[in-house]
Amino acid sequence: MEMKKHEDCCGKHIKGIKCNVQNCYYHDCDTHCTANEIAVGPHNASTSGDTLCATFKPKEF
């Protein structure tokens, strides 16, 4: 039932991917990513702090 409620409000999301970037186009009304896929980079990162979401797209308000 919770999944149905979530889809009514926000659309489908990538299971297991959490996103807190509220100004991203793919951020839903909760903490999920609704992109079809995500890309994380850069390729030469050595810690999680060095990574970023290359799928980020600014949300137009």
Side-chain angles (χ1 to χ4, degrees):
M1 182 69 169
E2 185 175 323
M3 180 65 177
K4 175 70 172 148
K5 179 182 175 189
H6 186 277
E7 287 183 12
D8 289 345
C9 174
C10 310
K12 293 185 178 190
H13 64 272
I14 302 173
K15 185 178 180 180
I17 302 296
K18 299 288 184 189
C19 177
N20 293 312
V21 183
Q22 294 180 356
N23 65 325
C24 180
Y25 176 82
Y26 300 108
H27 182 268
D28 70 2
C29 59
D30 197 7
T31 59
H32 298 102
C33 178
T34 62
N36 289 328
E37 62 184 19
I38 62 168
V40 178
H43 69 279
N44 60 345
S46 58
T47 68
S48 62
D50 293 338
T51 63
L52 55 93
C53 179
T55 308
F56 173 80
K57 177 179 163 183
K59 186 181 290 185
E60 295 180 20
F61 292 97

